[in-house]
Amino acid sequence: MSDYSIQEFIEQTKKQGTAKGGFDLETDRILEVSLEDKVWAKMGAMIAYNGDIKFEREGMMEHGVGRMFKKTFTSEGGELMKATGQGQLFLSDQGKKITILDLQKEKITVNGNDLLAFEPTVDWDIQMMRRVAGMMSGGLFNITLEGHGKIALTTYFEPLTLLVEPGRPVMTDPSATVAWSGTLEPEFRTDVNYRTFLGRGSGESIQMEFNGHGFVIVQPCFEGEMSSQ
């Protein structure tokens, strides 16, 4: 058989098995969800499915008045879609690398642009970033997730996890910051007197500072630059 035949291509790229435990990585950039009830996912992330699955946009009152208020009056919170039914669902986001985390009574905060999907057993809320709202165009929206269940994060290329220890703070560029442990509360630093600017060298001088004990996940590309390409 030719190395480049259609049959060889099918063998190399066909779906491998069935998702285990709800979420599974079909490839590094495609999430397979073995759907038996419902799942929340980023709007527009569905690339394929089989079975009897219905998709609905997140309703205005879907998650209560409090979250509706935050989404409406702070312009924060990415749109979600709810997939219900039974079947195999495949999700992806601009070819970004996917990481699955299984929360076990843990808490993590994720940049809203980098949250691909989460199981309905996970409790979540929008974290309001008042201090940064006036510093960056559009601000930042972050989602805090906790409890039991799987979540799927996306990063441009391989993620890097930095450990935060007392007395050894970690500073990051907001556009490269993907997630951080629930034990941390970032502060936003600005210094217009920087002569050598961090990040892309574009003159911005906003950094996130993490103090305490926990971890921060960053990606090697900036969210705004890659999404505009």
Side-chain angles (χ1 to χ4, degrees):
M1 180 185 298
S2 169
D3 290 340
Y4 304 105
S5 67
I6 291 178
Q7 187 59 40
E8 182 64 21
F9 174 79
I10 292 173
E11 289 299 318
Q12 292 179 1
T13 60
K14 70 180 180 181
K15 178 182 171 312
Q16 303 295 324
T18 302
K20 300 176 182 179
F23 282 21
D24 197 12
L25 291 179
E26 183 60 30
T27 72
D28 288 345
R29 302 173 191 280
I30 298 176
L31 175 70
E32 180 185 358
V33 181
S34 183
L35 191 61
E36 296 181 354
D37 182 17
K38 71 177 180 180
V39 69
W40 289 100
K42 186 174 184 177
M43 179 66 70
M46 185 276 288
I47 60 171
Y49 72 93
N50 59 48
D52 184 14
I53 300 177
K54 181 181 179 181
F55 300 93
E56 299 176 88
R57 182 186 298 270
E58 177 189 16
M60 180 64 75
M61 298 293 292
E62 186 84 38
H63 297 103
V65 176
R67 290 177 199 168
M68 180 196 72
F69 177 86
K70 292 178 186 179
K71 290 172 72 69
T72 302
F73 293 97
T74 66
S75 298
E76 297 184 0
E79 285 192 276
L80 297 173
M81 67 177 181
K82 178 172 62 175
T84 57
Q86 295 184 332
Q88 304 303 122
L89 173 62
F90 299 92
L91 303 172
S92 185
D93 184 16
Q94 301 182 58
K96 296 167 70 176
K97 181 178 175 61
I98 299 170
T99 299
I100 298 173
L101 299 177
D102 192 356
L103 300 185
Q104 302 290 332
K105 293 185 178 180
E106 295 154 313
K107 182 178 179 181
I108 188 171
T109 300
V110 183
N111 183 308
N113 289 324
D114 302 317
L115 180 62
L116 179 63
F118 57 93
E119 294 183 320
T121 55
V122 176
D123 190 26
W124 67 277
D125 199 2
I126 297 170
Q127 184 176 8
M128 301 175 69
M129 290 294 191
R130 294 188 181 92
R131 294 187 181 182
V132 78
M135 302 179 192
M136 300 179 65
S137 59
L140 291 174
F141 74 89
N142 301 297
I143 299 177
T144 299
L145 306 107
E146 60 182 319
H148 287 274
K150 294 185 177 66
I151 66 174
L153 315 179
T154 60
T155 55
Y156 287 111
F157 308 107
E158 301 291 332
L160 172 68
T161 299
L162 302 171
L163 299 181
V164 181
E165 300 175 353
R168 299 184 64 185
V170 170
M171 273 68 71
T172 66
D173 185 303
S175 298
T177 307
V178 175
W180 56 90
S181 53
T183 56
L184 300 177
E185 182 68 29
E187 293 289 333
F188 289 87
R189 298 175 50 180
T190 59
D191 190 343
V192 295
N193 295 319
Y194 276 161
R195 294 185 178 181
T196 302
F197 292 102
L198 302 180
R200 287 154 285 184
S202 62
E204 61 189 19
S205 58
I206 302 173
Q207 292 88 41
M208 299 176 75
E209 179 178 347
F210 296 88
N211 288 279
H213 184 78
F215 63 86
V216 183
I217 303 172
V218 295
Q219 59 186 351
C221 287
F222 297 100
E223 190 73 38
E225 289 184 348
M226 292 297 296
S227 61
S228 64
Q229 293 181 5

